[in-house]
mmCIF file of all heavy atoms in Angstrom:
data_model
loop_
_atom_site.group_PDB
_atom_site.id
_atom_site.type_symbol
_atom_site.label_atom_id
_atom_site.label_comp_id
_atom_site.label_asym_id
_atom_site.label_seq_id
_atom_site.Cartn_x
_atom_site.Cartn_y
_atom_site.Cartn_z
ATOM 1 N N TRP A 170 7.023 6.075 7.426
ATOM 2 C CA TRP A 170 6.589 5.922 6.013
ATOM 3 C C TRP A 170 7.247 4.752 5.452
ATOM 4 O O TRP A 170 6.487 3.939 4.561
ATOM 5 C CB TRP A 170 6.982 7.146 5.241
ATOM 6 C CG TRP A 170 6.628 7.125 3.790
ATOM 7 C CD1 TRP A 170 5.498 7.305 3.243
ATOM 8 C CD2 TRP A 170 7.490 6.572 2.680
ATOM 9 N NE1 TRP A 170 5.399 6.987 1.831
ATOM 10 C CE2 TRP A 170 6.674 6.578 1.490
ATOM 11 C CE3 TRP A 170 8.729 6.032 2.631
ATOM 12 C CZ2 TRP A 170 7.184 6.115 0.221
ATOM 13 C CZ3 TRP A 170 9.184 5.664 1.421
ATOM 14 C CH2 TRP A 170 8.515 5.790 0.255
ATOM 15 N N LEU A 171 8.380 4.539 5.653
ATOM 16 C CA LEU A 171 9.132 3.255 5.103
ATOM 17 C C LEU A 171 8.438 2.007 5.621
ATOM 18 O O LEU A 171 8.266 1.092 4.833
ATOM 19 C CB LEU A 171 10.595 3.307 5.558
ATOM 20 C CG LEU A 171 11.475 2.198 5.011
ATOM 21 C CD1 LEU A 171 11.538 2.329 3.474
ATOM 22 C CD2 LEU A 171 12.909 2.271 5.493
ATOM 23 N N MET A 172 8.089 1.983 6.889
ATOM 24 C CA MET A 172 7.349 0.784 7.465
ATOM 25 C C MET A 172 6.127 0.554 6.737
ATOM 26 O O MET A 172 5.696 -0.566 6.422
ATOM 27 C CB MET A 172 7.140 1.059 8.986
ATOM 28 C CG MET A 172 8.308 0.923 9.902
ATOM 29 S SD MET A 172 7.815 1.105 11.504
ATOM 30 C CE MET A 172 9.273 0.927 12.446
ATOM 31 N N VAL A 173 5.309 1.641 6.547
ATOM 32 C CA VAL A 173 3.972 1.511 6.016
ATOM 33 C C VAL A 173 4.069 1.111 4.506
ATOM 34 O O VAL A 173 3.405 0.262 4.018
ATOM 35 C CB VAL A 173 3.218 2.786 6.110
ATOM 36 C CG1 VAL A 173 1.954 2.831 5.240
ATOM 37 C CG2 VAL A 173 2.841 3.108 7.588
ATOM 38 N N ALA A 174 4.994 1.642 3.845
ATOM 39 C CA ALA A 174 5.278 1.410 2.435
ATOM 40 C C ALA A 174 5.524 -0.147 2.200
ATOM 41 O O ALA A 174 5.047 -0.670 1.251
ATOM 42 C CB ALA A 174 6.410 2.282 1.827
ATOM 43 N N SER A 175 6.338 -0.744 3.109
ATOM 44 C CA SER A 175 6.763 -2.047 2.972
ATOM 45 C C SER A 175 5.588 -2.959 3.431
ATOM 46 O O SER A 175 5.284 -3.934 2.846
ATOM 47 C CB SER A 175 7.943 -2.352 3.735
ATOM 48 O OG SER A 175 8.337 -3.700 3.623
ATOM 49 N N ALA A 176 4.967 -2.689 4.566
ATOM 50 C CA ALA A 176 3.962 -3.511 5.247
ATOM 51 C C ALA A 176 2.648 -3.512 4.411
ATOM 52 O O ALA A 176 1.821 -4.433 4.546
ATOM 53 C CB ALA A 176 3.655 -3.156 6.631
ATOM 54 N N SER A 177 2.354 -2.479 3.551
ATOM 55 C CA SER A 177 1.138 -2.339 2.995
ATOM 56 C C SER A 177 0.969 -2.897 1.471
ATOM 57 O O SER A 177 -0.144 -2.855 0.869
ATOM 58 C CB SER A 177 0.609 -0.918 3.071
ATOM 59 O OG SER A 177 1.505 -0.083 2.252
ATOM 60 N N THR A 178 2.082 -3.340 0.932
ATOM 61 C CA THR A 178 2.007 -3.675 -0.521
ATOM 62 C C THR A 178 0.993 -4.722 -0.839
ATOM 63 O O THR A 178 0.284 -4.648 -1.895
ATOM 64 C CB THR A 178 3.351 -4.055 -0.907
ATOM 65 O OG1 THR A 178 3.862 -5.218 -0.151
ATOM 66 C CG2 THR A 178 4.422 -3.023 -0.855
ATOM 67 N N GLY A 179 0.963 -5.744 -0.094
ATOM 68 C CA GLY A 179 0.044 -6.886 -0.417
ATOM 69 C C GLY A 179 -1.400 -6.478 -0.316
ATOM 70 O O GLY A 179 -2.143 -6.586 -1.286
ATOM 71 N N ILE A 180 -1.823 -5.876 0.736
ATOM 72 C CA ILE A 180 -3.250 -5.406 0.968
ATOM 73 C C ILE A 180 -3.552 -4.367 -0.092
ATOM 74 O O ILE A 180 -4.744 -4.278 -0.564
ATOM 75 C CB ILE A 180 -3.526 -5.050 2.412
ATOM 76 C CG1 ILE A 180 -5.074 -4.972 2.647
ATOM 77 C CG2 ILE A 180 -2.781 -3.770 2.740
ATOM 78 C CD1 ILE A 180 -5.409 -4.630 4.080
ATOM 79 N N ALA A 181 -2.581 -3.499 -0.329
ATOM 80 C CA ALA A 181 -2.975 -2.393 -1.356
ATOM 81 C C ALA A 181 -3.111 -2.869 -2.734
ATOM 82 O O ALA A 181 -4.027 -2.544 -3.383
ATOM 83 C CB ALA A 181 -1.723 -1.456 -1.321
ATOM 84 N N GLU A 182 -2.376 -3.843 -3.117
ATOM 85 C CA GLU A 182 -2.506 -4.420 -4.528
ATOM 86 C C GLU A 182 -3.688 -5.232 -4.612
ATOM 87 O O GLU A 182 -4.535 -5.132 -5.636
ATOM 88 C CB GLU A 182 -1.233 -5.390 -4.790
ATOM 89 C CG GLU A 182 -1.263 -5.940 -6.279
ATOM 90 C CD GLU A 182 -0.058 -6.576 -6.487
ATOM 91 O OE1 GLU A 182 0.686 -6.931 -5.619
ATOM 92 O OE2 GLU A 182 0.193 -6.795 -7.761
ATOM 93 N N PHE A 183 -4.263 -5.990 -3.422
ATOM 94 C CA PHE A 183 -5.293 -6.711 -3.478
ATOM 95 C C PHE A 183 -6.542 -5.876 -3.621
ATOM 96 O O PHE A 183 -7.555 -6.137 -4.485
ATOM 97 C CB PHE A 183 -5.452 -7.529 -2.142
ATOM 98 C CG PHE A 183 -6.789 -8.374 -2.032
ATOM 99 C CD1 PHE A 183 -6.784 -9.633 -2.754
ATOM 100 C CD2 PHE A 183 -7.845 -7.972 -1.362
ATOM 101 C CE1 PHE A 183 -7.884 -10.413 -2.690
ATOM 102 C CE2 PHE A 183 -8.960 -8.820 -1.241
ATOM 103 C CZ PHE A 183 -9.111 -9.898 -1.874
ATOM 104 N N TYR A 184 -6.687 -4.732 -2.942
ATOM 105 C CA TYR A 184 -7.856 -3.934 -2.844
ATOM 106 C C TYR A 184 -7.796 -2.699 -3.986
ATOM 107 O O TYR A 184 -8.919 -2.347 -4.429
ATOM 108 C CB TYR A 184 -8.063 -3.220 -1.531
ATOM 109 C CG TYR A 184 -8.613 -4.128 -0.463
ATOM 110 C CD1 TYR A 184 -7.651 -4.632 0.483
ATOM 111 C CD2 TYR A 184 -9.774 -4.565 -0.607
ATOM 112 C CE1 TYR A 184 -8.183 -5.503 1.450
ATOM 113 C CE2 TYR A 184 -10.314 -5.498 0.518
ATOM 114 C CZ TYR A 184 -9.415 -5.882 1.501
ATOM 115 O OH TYR A 184 -9.895 -6.869 2.440
ATOM 116 N N THR A 185 -6.720 -2.370 -4.375
ATOM 117 C CA THR A 185 -6.689 -1.194 -5.408
ATOM 118 C C THR A 185 -5.947 -1.630 -6.703
ATOM 119 O O THR A 185 -6.051 -0.868 -7.618
ATOM 120 C CB THR A 185 -6.055 -0.051 -4.722
ATOM 121 O OG1 THR A 185 -4.572 -0.212 -4.491
ATOM 122 C CG2 THR A 185 -6.692 0.329 -3.402
ATOM 123 N N GLY A 186 -5.149 -2.569 -6.714
ATOM 124 C CA GLY A 186 -4.329 -2.971 -7.877
ATOM 125 C C GLY A 186 -3.136 -2.178 -7.892
ATOM 126 O O GLY A 186 -2.238 -2.368 -8.841
ATOM 127 N N ASN A 187 -2.757 -1.367 -6.959
ATOM 128 C CA ASN A 187 -1.599 -0.574 -6.876
ATOM 129 C C ASN A 187 -0.856 -0.833 -5.597
ATOM 130 O O ASN A 187 -1.324 -0.400 -4.551
ATOM 131 C CB ASN A 187 -1.964 1.040 -7.012
ATOM 132 C CG ASN A 187 -0.716 1.788 -6.897
ATOM 133 O OD1 ASN A 187 0.392 1.330 -6.949
ATOM 134 N ND2 ASN A 187 -0.913 3.140 -6.731
ATOM 135 N N PRO A 188 0.232 -1.518 -5.637
ATOM 136 C CA PRO A 188 1.036 -1.800 -4.434
ATOM 137 C C PRO A 188 1.348 -0.655 -3.578
ATOM 138 O O PRO A 188 1.643 -0.747 -2.292
ATOM 139 C CB PRO A 188 2.159 -2.666 -4.857
ATOM 140 C CG PRO A 188 1.849 -3.117 -6.142
ATOM 141 C CD PRO A 188 1.035 -2.018 -6.858
ATOM 142 N N ALA A 189 1.554 0.430 -4.206
ATOM 143 C CA ALA A 189 2.005 1.679 -3.549
ATOM 144 C C ALA A 189 0.872 2.645 -3.082
ATOM 145 O O ALA A 189 1.111 3.719 -2.595
ATOM 146 C CB ALA A 189 2.906 2.520 -4.446
ATOM 147 N N HIS A 190 -0.388 2.087 -3.011
ATOM 148 C CA HIS A 190 -1.490 2.992 -2.783
ATOM 149 C C HIS A 190 -1.334 3.542 -1.454
ATOM 150 O O HIS A 190 -1.474 4.764 -1.275
ATOM 151 C CB HIS A 190 -2.801 2.218 -2.851
ATOM 152 C CG HIS A 190 -3.992 2.864 -2.343
ATOM 153 N ND1 HIS A 190 -4.699 3.790 -3.236
ATOM 154 C CD2 HIS A 190 -4.678 2.737 -1.217
ATOM 155 C CE1 HIS A 190 -5.648 4.321 -2.573
ATOM 156 N NE2 HIS A 190 -5.803 3.693 -1.378
ATOM 157 N N PHE A 191 -1.171 2.685 -0.344
ATOM 158 C CA PHE A 191 -1.111 3.248 0.985
ATOM 159 C C PHE A 191 0.071 3.965 1.255
ATOM 160 O O PHE A 191 0.169 4.881 2.040
ATOM 161 C CB PHE A 191 -1.293 2.117 1.998
ATOM 162 C CG PHE A 191 -2.665 1.379 2.036
ATOM 163 C CD1 PHE A 191 -2.913 0.109 1.556
ATOM 164 C CD2 PHE A 191 -3.733 2.193 2.461
ATOM 165 C CE1 PHE A 191 -4.129 -0.474 1.654
ATOM 166 C CE2 PHE A 191 -5.078 1.612 2.441
ATOM 167 C CZ PHE A 191 -5.197 0.277 2.006
ATOM 168 N N ALA A 192 1.150 3.686 0.647
ATOM 169 C CA ALA A 192 2.433 4.411 0.725
ATOM 170 C C ALA A 192 2.246 5.832 0.282
ATOM 171 O O ALA A 192 2.699 6.830 0.824
ATOM 172 C CB ALA A 192 3.572 3.715 0.035
ATOM 173 N N ILE A 193 1.501 5.971 -0.972
ATOM 174 C CA ILE A 193 1.239 7.283 -1.385
ATOM 175 C C ILE A 193 0.343 8.216 -0.489
ATOM 176 O O ILE A 193 0.594 9.369 -0.235
ATOM 177 C CB ILE A 193 0.664 7.233 -2.891
ATOM 178 C CG1 ILE A 193 1.664 6.597 -3.761
ATOM 179 C CG2 ILE A 193 0.257 8.650 -3.406
ATOM 180 C CD1 ILE A 193 1.095 6.250 -5.193
ATOM 181 N N ARG A 194 -0.658 7.502 -0.002
ATOM 182 C CA ARG A 194 -1.602 8.149 0.928
ATOM 183 C C ARG A 194 -0.927 8.600 2.280
ATOM 184 O O ARG A 194 -1.049 9.686 2.789
ATOM 185 C CB ARG A 194 -2.739 7.381 1.210
ATOM 186 C CG ARG A 194 -3.762 7.177 0.086
ATOM 187 C CD ARG A 194 -4.861 6.268 0.407
ATOM 188 N NE ARG A 194 -5.640 6.775 1.541
ATOM 189 C CZ ARG A 194 -6.768 7.498 1.517
ATOM 190 N NH1 ARG A 194 -7.099 7.965 0.316
ATOM 191 N NH2 ARG A 194 -7.346 7.932 2.568
#
């Protein structure tokens, strides 16, 4: 979870506007 939360911030913010989107999912 920590890996995904860190690695997904850029793409999550670009597509959803929320850097934590993929971390929450």
Side-chain angles (χ1 to χ4, degrees):
W170 179 84
L171 185 61
M172 286 185 182
V173 170
S175 178
S177 64
T178 53
I180 190 171
E182 185 170 19
F183 179 81
Y184 284 109
T185 70
N187 179 9
H190 174 77
F191 290 113
I193 294 170
R194 286 178 63 90

